[in-house]
């Protein structure tokens, strides 16, 4: 069995490997998936209400009725109506909004209001949705039953509206001095909105005239048509399971849509079985609604309890495992909407095959053992929320029914496991791609019209950035996952460690180590770079105090990175001074490295803040000099004590004569102005030899040491300095 699962997983991996980008990053699929995920709070509330109303415990039902009266289910029904009952409408709004935001990102100079787009889509859905008794929308189409039509309407209406809105022929501009900015925007969308709504009105008229029914009803009738082609019970059952699963996969409540088939074939079969048993005859039907509920749909559509077990057993994705844990309780009672919408299973190509295959396989295996007389057929009606194992025993009156359910659960779980692992691999690849893209964005200088690098992007990068921003704020409040490491700086003339740069590290519980540039970018976009910087400053000063107490040289300077945006805070010098006093540190033990995400401006608050920090006796360094916005004019306007030459110059100095010339120019100027130079990203002896010839002697990089935790840095500094002092003491008498 393990070899078979491996073969299936490998082949599916090859099949999906080439198709992953097409659907995983497609704006349409992202909009649908995000809509499903954003509906999770509603799905959760609706699932809880459904469970409370249908918990299959007689004592519970009686207690609730005695406490709250015969109408005690009204509360749960009200919650259901406000969640699952309007799910189609909420999905439409969410999809329209996401597609519009993606459009605005692609066309930043021609933004369209997401609210206007959603309202137009909503109007289109109302037009094609049949009314209930001549007034209001029919409730059966506003919930899960109308979800598929709602999704299609949102996609078509939004795409059409956005395309028309970009047309110069339909674009009207309204300029009015002092007018509300919303008025010109609404006026420019007037003609595209009307045209889109009229298109859907014609669609409604077309269906009324040529089919005599609504779009919803026509789709409903089309779904039921295949059952007229089957005359035998087995073919009908296979079609029933297949179509039910396909409906659920595209977001349509399969059981509701197929209710006429359920009544025509399976409920009547159950009644005939009961009538036969009443007169002592064998049951004429094997496949009944009770058969499907007890032995096939364990945990809900797609035999979801098998999927839950597969996730808990095989998934290494923390998000998927957490969702499975949350979904387990309602899943035991055959309520699976939380899993279907949260994973999601709906419209997820990875789970299409097992979602259809598992119920078909379980139906065949159960039919076979009952047909052979190994297990008695189900003959006692049980409530649909009765947990598996219990329901098997009650329905058949035999432990063999429970054993068959156990076998089916194991079989279904084994089928799901390769797809769960494949899903993990795809999620890991998507995360890797998104993180790589986010890293590129974070290190770049491009910002949106709102001045943000990543948080307002409507793609995988933006989604990941927003998740990281929220989690980083939590980490700052709790301190969990955050730490500092320190990379030593070496004076190559003396051989001593003269300082270290404090580098913040964050190990995310789900995503693993997060690169520092990403942390800086999301914290700057999220306007909490200040708290992050203060946390780093406090931790670094506390560590320097510990080093001092353990005898580290007083001349050893610990450098802390400060974002340019932090320099907007006029209170920053006072905060730094307060932190030094809190840990009883003299100012010369601390250095500030300015990390640029935007250019430093000489005539702004940045200059005042840096001079105030310098007056405290704290050294000021310009980090990553040689890239980004950095300029030699900084040496004129700002109190710079050190320049740190970036890797774009130091890594290529051996092979690029231009880099060597630039470094020579910087060195000559800095020596004239009495500014120290630290060269970063030193990786080999050849770099050091050449850079020493160019006039550099303070280095930082992996050639000497990777960033180290506090205790390890202290050991490294003491050991290196002791060796340097010993070598110096040996060299002096020999030199004389």
């Amino acid at each position: 069995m393990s070899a078979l699962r491996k073969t299936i997983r490998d082949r599916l991996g090859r099949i999906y490997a080439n198709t992953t980008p097409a659907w995983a990053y497609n704006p349409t699929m992202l909009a649908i998936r995000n809509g499903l995920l954003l509906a999770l709070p509603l799905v959760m509330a609706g699932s809880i209400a459904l469970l409370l109303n249908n918990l299959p415990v007689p004592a519970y039902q009686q207690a609730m009725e005695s406490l709250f009266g015969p109408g005690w289910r009204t509360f749960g029904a009200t919650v259901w109506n406000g969640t699952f009952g309007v799910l189609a409408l909420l999905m439409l709004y969410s999809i329209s909004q996401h597609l519009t935001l993606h459009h605005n990102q692609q066309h930043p100079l021609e933004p369209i209001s997401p609210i206007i787009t959603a309202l137009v889509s909503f109007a289109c859905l109302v037009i094609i949705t049949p009314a209930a008794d001549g007034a209001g929308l029919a409730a059966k189409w506003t919930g899960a039953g109308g979800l598929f039509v709602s999704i299609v309407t949102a996609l078509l209406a939004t795409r059409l509206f956005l395309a028309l809105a970009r047309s110069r022929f339909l674009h009207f501009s309204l300029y009015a001095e002092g007018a509300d900015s919303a008025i010109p925007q609404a006026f420019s969308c007037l003609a595209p909105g009307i045209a889109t709504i009229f298109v859907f009105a014609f669609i409604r008229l077309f269906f009324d005239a040529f089919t005599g029914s609504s779009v919803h009803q026509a789709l409903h009738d089309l779904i039921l048509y295949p059952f007229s082609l089957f005359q035998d019970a087995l073919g009908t059952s296979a079609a029933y399971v297949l179509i039910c699963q396909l409906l659920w996969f595209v977001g349509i409540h399969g059981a509701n849509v197929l209710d006429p088939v359920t009544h025509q074939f399976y409920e009547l079969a159950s009644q005939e079985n009961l009538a036969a048993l009443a007169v002592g005859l064998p049951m004429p039907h094997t496949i009944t609604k009770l058969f499907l509920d007890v032995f096939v749909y364990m945990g809900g559509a797609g035999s979801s309890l098998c999927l839950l077990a597969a996730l808990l057993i095989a998934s290494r994705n923390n998000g998927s495992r957490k969702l499975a844990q949350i979904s387990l309780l309602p899943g035991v009672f055959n309520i699976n909407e939380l899993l279907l919408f949260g994973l999601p299973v709906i419209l997820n190509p990875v789970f299409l095959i097992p979602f259809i295959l598992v119920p078909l396989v379980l139906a065949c295996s159960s039919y076979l053992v009952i047909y052979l007389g190994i297990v008695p057929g189900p003959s006692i009606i049980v409530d649909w929320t009765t947990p598996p194992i219990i329901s098997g025993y009650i329905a058949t009156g035999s432990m063999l029914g429970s054993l068959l359910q156990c076998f089916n659960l194991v079989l279904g779980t084994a089928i799901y496991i390769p797809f769960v692992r494949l899903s993990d691999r795809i999620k890991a690849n998507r995360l890797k791609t998104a993180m790589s893209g986010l890293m590129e964005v974070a290190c770049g200088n491009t910002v949106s019209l709102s001045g943000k690098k990543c948080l307002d992007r409507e793609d995988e990068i933006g989604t990941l950035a927003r998740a990281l921003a929220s989690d980083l704020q939590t980490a700052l409040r709790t301190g969990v996952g955050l730490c500092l490491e320190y990379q030593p700086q070496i004076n190559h003339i003396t051989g001593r460690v003269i300082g270290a740069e404090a580098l913040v590290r964050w190990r995310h519980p789900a995503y693993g180590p997060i690169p520092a540039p990403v942390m800086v970018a999301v914290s700057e976009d999220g306007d909490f770079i200040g708290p992050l910087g203060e946390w780093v400053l406090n931790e670094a000063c506390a560590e320097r105090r510990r080093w001092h107490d353990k005898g580290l040289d007083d001349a050893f300077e610990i450098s802390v990175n400060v974002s340019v945006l932090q320099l907007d805070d006029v209170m920053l010098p006072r905060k730094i001074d307060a932190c030094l006093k809190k840990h009883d540190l003299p100012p010369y033990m601390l250095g500030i490295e300015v990390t640029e995400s935007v250019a430093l401006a000489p005539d702004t608050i940045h200059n005042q803040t840096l001079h105030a920090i310098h007056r405290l006796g704290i050294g000021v360094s310009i980090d990553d000099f040689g890239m980004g916005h950095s300029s030699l004019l900084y040496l004129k306007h700002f109190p710079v004590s050190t320049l740190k030459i970036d890797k774009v110059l130091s890594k290529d100095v051996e092979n690029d004569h231009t880099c060597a010339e630039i470094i020579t120019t910087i060195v000559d100027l800095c020596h004239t102005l009495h500014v120290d130079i630290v060269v970063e990203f030193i990786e080999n002896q050849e770099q050091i030899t050449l850079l020493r010839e160019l006039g550099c002697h303070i280095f930082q990089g992996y050639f000497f040491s990777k960033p180290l935790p506090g205790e390890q840095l202290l050991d490294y500094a003491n050991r290196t300095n002791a060796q340097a002092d010993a070598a110096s003491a040996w060299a002096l008498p020999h030199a004389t």
Side-chain angles (χ1 to χ4, degrees):
M1 183 63 72
S2 60
L4 176 61
R5 290 200 304 267
K6 184 178 185 300
T7 301
I8 293 174
R9 185 172 68 247
D10 292 343
R11 290 186 178 179
L12 287 172
R14 288 194 294 269
I15 292 172
Y16 281 114
N18 297 326
T19 61
T20 297
W23 58 264
Y25 302 104
N26 184 277
T28 299
M29 294 301 298
L30 287 174
I32 295 173
R33 194 189 67 191
N34 289 338
L36 292 170
L37 291 176
L38 291 176
L40 265 184
L42 306 177
V43 173
M44 186 64 159
S47 298
I48 293 173
L50 196 61
L51 179 58
L52 291 176
N53 274 14
N54 296 280
L55 193 66
V57 180
Y60 164 80
Q61 302 280 348
Q62 294 169 7
M64 294 296 288
E65 185 170 350
S66 63
L67 286 174
F68 302 107
W72 68 272
R73 289 186 175 86
T74 303
F75 175 82
T78 301
V79 174
W80 194 94
N81 289 334
T83 54
F84 285 115
V86 293
L87 195 59
L89 305 181
L90 299 174
M91 275 292 295
L92 175 128
Y93 175 83
S94 181
I95 291 173
S96 295
Q97 182 189 48
H98 277 92
L99 288 176
T100 307
L101 291 173
H102 180 267
H103 168 275
N104 292 345
Q105 185 177 311
Q106 300 297 114
H107 306 90
L109 299 180
E110 300 174 327
I112 304 295
S113 169
I115 297 177
I116 293 177
T117 309
L119 290 175
V120 171
S121 298
F122 180 77
C124 294
L125 182 63
V126 171
I127 288 172
I128 65 173
T129 302
D133 299 327
L137 298 179
K140 65 179 294 187
W141 304 127
T142 59
L147 191 58
F148 180 73
V149 174
S150 175
I151 291 173
V152 174
T153 301
L155 296 175
L156 294 179
T158 302
R159 293 293 190 190
L160 177 60
F161 173 74
L162 293 176
L164 294 175
R166 294 189 62 208
S167 171
R168 298 301 177 189
F169 299 101
L170 297 176
H171 186 83
F172 300 104
S173 299
L174 177 65
Y175 302 99
E177 186 175 351
D180 190 321
S181 60
I183 296 177
Q185 191 175 41
F187 192 82
S188 66
C189 296
L190 192 61
I194 292 174
T196 303
I197 291 171
F198 277 20
V199 167
F200 277 80
F202 281 118
I203 293 174
R204 171 64 184 269
L205 292 177
F206 173 84
F207 273 86
D208 288 344
F210 292 96
T211 69
S213 62
S214 66
V215 175
H216 296 75
Q217 190 61 49
L219 177 63
H220 186 275
D221 295 339
L222 180 63
I223 291 170
L224 296 180
Y225 172 73
F227 292 99
S228 63
L229 304 177
F230 297 100
Q231 301 300 323
D232 61 291
L234 189 59
T236 302
S237 300
Y240 179 90
V241 172
L242 175 63
I243 293 176
C244 185
Q245 295 307 111
L246 285 173
L247 291 175
W248 267 113
F249 184 78
V250 297
I252 301 175
H253 197 297
N256 287 351
V257 173
L258 298 182
D259 185 70
V261 178
T262 304
H263 178 74
Q264 179 180 351
F265 291 100
Y266 302 119
E267 289 185 357
L268 290 178
S270 296
Q271 294 174 11
E272 291 177 7
N273 280 356
L274 294 176
L277 288 172
V279 296
L281 296 175
M283 294 187 298
H285 304 286
T286 299
I287 301 178
T288 64
K289 185 178 186 302
L290 182 60
F291 168 89
L292 295 173
D293 289 342
V294 172
F295 295 120
V296 178
Y297 294 128
M298 294 176 292
S303 308
S304 298
L305 210 54
C306 300
L307 175 55
L308 280 172
L311 288 170
L312 294 173
I313 293 171
S315 179
R316 296 295 178 266
N317 182 277
N318 289 335
S320 298
R321 289 183 60 84
K322 188 69 174 179
L323 178 67
Q325 293 167 1
I326 296 173
S327 304
L328 186 58
L329 179 60
V332 167
F333 294 97
N334 301 315
I335 297 173
N336 67 340
E337 282 82 359
L338 185 59
L339 181 65
L340 296 184
F341 286 89
L343 192 57
V345 175
I346 292 175
L347 292 174
N348 187 341
V350 175
F351 290 107
L352 172 61
I353 293 175
F355 191 69
I356 295 173
L357 180 62
V358 171
L360 287 172
V361 170
L362 300 191
C364 293
S365 65
S366 302
Y367 177 84
L368 179 62
V369 295
I370 293 176
Y371 178 78
L372 295 175
I374 300 174
V375 175
S379 58
I380 301 173
I381 302 298
V382 294
D383 195 282
W384 66 274
T385 54
T386 304
I389 312 303
I390 298 174
S391 62
Y393 174 77
I394 296 175
T396 62
S398 169
M399 285 300 298
L400 292 174
S402 298
L403 289 175
L404 176 56
Q405 286 185 314
C406 291
F407 173 80
N408 284 351
L409 286 172
V410 172
L411 179 59
T413 301
I415 295 173
Y416 266 117
I417 282 177
F419 296 91
V420 166
R421 289 175 175 164
L422 175 61
S423 176
D424 280 0
R425 286 163 52 191
I426 292 175
K427 286 182 178 179
N429 289 336
R430 284 172 48 194
L431 175 61
K432 182 179 179 181
T433 302
M435 188 67 76
S436 176
L438 181 56
M439 182 68 175
E440 183 178 346
V441 170
C443 293
N445 298 320
T446 303
V447 297
S448 66
L449 294 177
S450 62
K452 298 184 184 299
K453 283 186 175 181
C454 51
L455 287 192
D456 57 357
R457 292 175 64 100
E458 288 302 321
D459 54 11
E460 288 281 289
I461 293 174
T463 300
L464 177 60
R466 288 186 290 273
L468 290 176
S470 176
D471 294 342
L472 181 53
Q473 288 177 296
T474 301
L476 281 173
R477 289 194 299 269
T478 63
V480 177
L482 287 173
C483 67
L484 293 184
E485 290 183 346
Y486 307 88
Q487 188 166 36
Q489 297 168 348
I490 313 295
N491 186 324
H492 205 259
I493 295 177
T494 64
R496 293 179 60 84
V497 183
I498 62 171
E501 179 183 0
L503 301 169
V504 63
R505 297 290 186 255
W506 179 30
R507 187 168 187 83
H508 192 280
Y511 305 140
I514 305 300
V518 171
M519 294 175 61
V520 172
V522 299
S523 58
E524 287 182 342
D525 278 6
D527 296 327
F528 59 92
I529 185 65
L532 176 61
E534 291 170 23
W535 184 90
V536 172
L537 176 67
N538 183 72
E539 291 295 313
C541 288
E543 190 69 70
R544 184 62 184 91
R545 180 71 245 178
R546 287 190 287 271
W547 293 342
H548 178 271
D549 294 341
K550 293 182 178 181
L552 186 63
D553 189 350
D554 284 357
F556 189 99
E557 179 184 277
I558 190 169
S559 301
V560 174
N561 290 290
V562 173
S563 166
V564 172
L565 297 184
Q566 288 179 260
L567 299 179
D568 291 332
D569 182 4
V570 295
M571 298 300 294
L572 181 61
R574 292 188 182 181
K575 293 176 181 177
I576 294 174
D577 187 44
C579 189
L580 289 171
K581 291 177 179 177
K582 173 184 175 181
H583 298 286
D584 192 22
L585 285 181
Y588 61 80
M589 290 187 181
L590 178 68
I592 296 299
E593 294 189 12
V594 180
T595 304
E596 294 181 292
S597 56
V598 294
L600 280 167
D603 55 350
T604 64
I605 192 65
H606 299 160
N607 200 350
Q608 301 174 30
T609 303
L610 285 176
H611 276 89
I613 292 173
H614 180 70
R615 285 194 295 270
L616 292 174
I618 297 171
V620 177
S621 303
I622 300 297
D623 196 15
D624 298 335
F625 194 81
M627 64 174 293
H629 304 281
S630 58
S631 166
L632 288 173
L633 291 177
Y634 289 176
L635 300 176
K636 173 183 177 182
H637 296 289
F638 301 112
V640 178
S641 57
T642 304
L643 285 184
K644 299 190 71 175
I645 295 179
D646 185 67
K647 66 178 179 180
V648 295
L649 296 176
S650 63
K651 289 189 72 172
D652 294 333
V653 68
E654 302 169 74
N655 305 314
D656 191 333
H657 180 71
T658 302
C659 290
E661 291 292 338
I662 294 173
I663 291 175
T664 300
T665 302
I666 295 173
V667 169
D668 291 343
L669 181 59
C670 287
H671 285 174
T672 301
L673 299 175
H674 305 290
V675 174
D676 292 331
I677 294 175
V678 176
V679 185
E680 298 182 289
F681 295 91
I682 299 300
E683 297 178 342
N684 56 65
Q685 182 62 49
E686 289 73 18
Q687 282 179 286
I688 296 174
T689 302
L690 182 54
L691 288 167
R692 284 290 303 272
E693 293 175 359
L694 297 178
C696 304
H697 63 273
I698 301 177
F699 304 116
Q700 176 181 336
Y702 272 59
F703 179 76
F704 299 101
S705 174
K706 66 179 182 179
L708 301 169
E711 286 298 320
Q712 293 183 28
L713 187 281
L714 179 62
D715 292 342
Y716 175 85
N718 287 335
R719 185 173 62 255
T720 303
N721 290 348
Q723 293 172 354
D725 292 343
S728 177
W730 182 87
L732 284 175
H734 286 76
T736 58

